[in-house]
Amino acid sequence: MAQVGQFALALSVVVAAYSIVASLLGIRLKSDKLIASGRNAAIGVFACVTMSIVSLTYLFLIDDFSINYIAEHSNRDLPVYFKISAVWGGQEGSLLFWGWLLTVYSALVIFQNWRKHTAMMPYVTAVLMSSGLFFTAMNLFVVNPFNQVVVLQPGGVNALFVPQDGAGLNPLLQYILMVIHPPILYLGFVGFAVPFAFAIAAMASRQLGDTWIRTTRRWTMVAWFFLGTGILLGGKWAYVELGWGGFWGWDPVENASLMPWLIATAYLHSVMVQEKKGMMKVWNMVLIILTYVMCIFGTFLTRSGLVSSVHAFAQSPIGGYFLAFIVVGLSGSLYLLLDRLNYLKSDNQMESLVSRESSFMFNNLILLASCFAVFWGTIFPVISEAAPEWMGGGVKVTVGPPFFNRVNVPIAIFLLFLTGVGPLLAWRKASTNSLKRNFLWPAGIALASGVGLFFLGVDHFYAWLSLVMCIFVSLTIGREFYKGARARSVGSGENFVEAVVNLTLRNTRRYGGYIVHFGFVLLFLGWSGQAFTTDTQSETGIGETITMRQYTLRMDKLAIEEMPNYTTSKATISLFENGEKVGVLYPERRFYTSSGQPTTEVAIWSTLKEDLYVVFAGSAPDGKKAVMQVYLNPLVAWVWIGGIILGLGTLIAMLPNKKSAPRTSPVNRVEERREVEQHTT
Amino acid sequence: MNNTRRKLLLVLLVLTAPFALAADRERIKEVSNNMICMCGCNQLLATCNHLNCPTRGPMQDEVAKMLDEGKTQAEILPAFADKYGLRVLAAPPTSGFNLSVWIMPFVALGIGILAVALVARRWKARSPEQGAQPDIDTSKHHKRLQEELDNYTPED
């Protein structure tokens, strides 16, 4: 089976190269046959890489430890679902998985668009297959998942060797969210290849109208949805599995996924300006190019070991190839962009700085500034070390959470403010009256709440500001739904809830967008709570208690359990809130036999108000007590709820608009309008 | 009298000891949140949670000792940087070459604002209607139109 996988992989490299050549040559020679052949070859690449990844999965399932990658990332006792997730649990397999997803996307794009966009599709195929070629070639020549285990024999001869058992999957990855986190994140990273390919195709074919943007709008949102969900799942994994009490540590790998997400968010907003006003055409090209380049850069950061990261398990010497791919891709794209500048002139001009257009410009500016701060902070240790000594460089420094928080928190809060303001500004120019009407009450109530929050003891400035902005933005969003639903219910006789639902379904993009914004408000609410985290540590024996505010934890049992894959020290803790028993917690300390690595299994008592987060930190020197670290993390649940609402809003925004009911006559419509006005004034 | 005062003081000390300990913990945590644990985990000293970590305990003890000596965070961090190198600081100092990590994001933001202002100015200058538009608030019809536009819910 390994030979089948290896052969399919080798074939995919050849066929991908052929697909690029046939597509480009077909365009040049105006040969429909060659173009169609290039398209068929792209489908062939999908078939080959699918065969390759199916082979690898099968080899994992049958415990074929003659394959080096499997011997290093699996073992006999590993549960089946972790054996499947181990396919992408290491360098070689995850690159194969990346490449496979790309070929899946490519095939779907070809099936969906081939007849609709005949001029662009050969270019789209060539661009997608260029990425496909890079990844399959990396897998074949540099990090081959089908390499066999070899040992050095006396006399310097390599001999094949089959270990009895594998080293096992990294224990930190043996967690159910880790089964789905990487695929979802990759679906995001890889997904941006589609709008990128269309952007390049639009420039190459000089079809620079809105077609490429309208065609890729849903693809972009799908990629954005997956990337955002992947990032949040990563946060949840860190929170539950790493046991340090938080969900975001500004690790380089976290930053690597955040950067393309920030640029893609800017792009999703600025394309609206192009669609509505025919402006920012060059800028949109720049943004989608940067988004895809940052996706590759993120993969490069994760793999190369360029910067120190908790994701050290994914390092290998493939950084140089990625860097070369980034340089070639970026310079090629920018050359094409410069060459096509004349075709990308704006159709309209900006009329006022207080308008929807300008709010999008500021939104883009802030998102990119935030992205730059993350980028700069992430690569600064490398720059600092490489800088000459006379400049003060040549020193290894760390750029960690204090830097990122200090720089990004104010930027993020300003972005939250824009989230409330931007959507309510009119296109072209917002009048003073509309500004007053839209913002006076929300701003007044938010400020009054701010005073209240201060007297309630919210004395951390940024947390306070963030909470005030959360209230302001929620009110502006709520007002939009209320205004629209009331107008609908008066006109159609629907009750308010029906009116909200129909309003949303009839303009999914606008109201889905508001729901996404509300999801962000909840994320900020959760983040604000981080300013008030408290913790305590204690050595606790059977029957002893730990008290933290209204909670009392009583150690009932300490036991050691043998599991097939690991040995665990497990505590049984009764939890009391204000003296009343509310639950039982089971924090664990596991020791994985095959890899010899210990991990923490945190026990979390989660409420909307706060999380009680209990870590089994280790055993006391006498062996009779457990060292328990207890955190009280306010408002964390809102991060996950915000994430779900954000995803829901994105899905709604992707839905097609519900068709309107048959229109009434103009006379009736005037009557309806009058009725609405009478009720609204 | 002296004896009574001493007893009172002792009682007070015993009663306030947990609070003092909690305050110490908070101060140690505050300083530790600005340092990296040197065990190689790349985590903050305050959050490093490795079993039997060889450096977390001694480093936190050092912080506690310096705090007991009355040193402030501003004095403790450079002392650690002297001992372990700049890598021990969770964020680079705001001096010399390292200052650039702090100022560059804001320089970039400033350049961005300037670029947006220039583009907006150029766009406005090119706009043929500029100056010819009637004042919205003085025209009944324009006011009405503007309100309609503000309340317009496009069907997309």
Side-chain angles (χ1 to χ4, degrees), chain A residues 242-243 308 349 351 365 376 380 391 396 398 400 403 426 429 434 483 506-507 510 535 589 617 657 677, chain B residues 25 29 42 49 51 87 89-90 92 97 100-101 104 112 123 133 144 146 150-156:
Chain A
L242 296 184
S308 305
Q349 310 301 334
E351 293 175 33
L365 179 66
W376 185 244
F380 189 78
M391 282 177 74
K396 218 176 172 100
T398 308
F403 166 82
K429 183 174 183 175
S434 78
K483 205 172 69 176
R506 282 197 39 194
N507 196 339
R510 177 174 172 175
D535 70 300
R589 189 95 201 173
N657 285 333
E677 278 174 350
Chain B
R25 269 183 58 80
K29 191 178 158 192
N42 292 312
N49 57 354
L51 185 67
R87 275 191 64 204
L89 304 180
F97 181 74
S100 61
V101 75
M104 277 300 279
W123 276 347
Q133 281 200 349
R144 176 72 194 266
Q146 192 59 50
D150 290 344
N151 292 322
Y152 174 60
T153 307
E155 294 289 322
D156 200 28

Side-chain angles (χ1 to χ4, degrees), chain A residues 13 223 423 623:
Chain A
V13 174

Side-chain angles (χ1 to χ4, degrees), chain B residues 114-128:
Chain B
L114 206 68
V116 167
L118 281 175
V119 169
R121 211 173 131 185
R122 213 180 66 187
W123 276 347
K124 282 201 79 175
R126 267 206 238 144
S127 176

Side-chain angles (χ1 to χ4, degrees), chain A residues 457-641:
Chain A
V458 181
D459 53 359
H460 186 288
F461 176 68
Y462 282 132
W464 176 84
L465 193 59
S466 170
L467 290 173
V468 170
M469 286 300 165
C470 284
I471 295 167
F472 170 69
V473 179
S474 301
L475 289 170
T476 57
I477 295 170
R479 190 178 174 280
E480 278 298 283
F481 274 99
Y482 176 72
K483 205 172 69 176
R486 198 175 66 160
R488 257 197 85 83
S489 61
V490 168
S492 64
E494 293 168 346
N495 69 39
F496 188 75
V497 177
E498 279 172 346
V500 168
V501 172
N502 285 325
L503 181 77
T504 308
L505 293 179
R506 282 197 39 194
N507 196 339
T508 53
R509 196 169 176 186
R510 177 174 172 175
Y511 289 95
Y514 287 148
I515 294 170
V516 169
H517 284 181
F518 186 61
F520 272 105
V521 168
L522 297 183
L523 283 176
F524 273 82
L525 179 67
W527 285 329
S528 307
Q530 291 292 288
F532 305 100
T533 292
T534 49
D535 70 300
T536 186
Q537 187 173 310
S538 127
E539 290 180 5
T540 317
I542 307 290
E544 291 179 348
T545 58
I546 309 168
T547 300
M548 198 163 193
R549 299 219 185 129
Q550 75 272 34
Y551 296 105
T552 303
L553 298 98
R554 189 187 66 208
M555 177 74 77
D556 290 339
K557 192 176 160 193
L558 270 171
I560 293 177
E561 292 175 15
E562 294 286 339
M563 306 301 279
N565 204 22
Y566 57 86
T567 307
T568 180
S569 300
K570 192 173 182 180
T572 305
I573 295 174
S574 290
L575 176 67
F576 299 85
E577 188 175 0
N578 297 319
E580 197 176 316
K581 189 170 175 179
V582 288
V584 183
L585 303 173
Y586 303 97
E588 289 180 55
R589 189 95 201 173
R590 289 183 186 170
F591 186 80
Y592 282 80
T593 328
S594 55
S595 62
Q597 256 183 285
T599 64
T600 300
E601 296 300 310
V602 175
I604 302 171
W605 179 259
S606 188
T607 65
L608 293 180
K609 191 182 159 205
E610 62 209 354
D611 278 12
L612 190 77
Y613 182 98
V614 185
V615 185
F616 193 137
S619 298
D622 64 2
K624 289 178 182 164
K625 290 185 175 184
V627 182
M628 307 305 290
Q629 180 99 28
V630 185
Y631 295 81
L632 204 58
N633 296 332
L635 303 172
V636 174
W638 293 102
V639 174
W640 320 126
I641 296 171

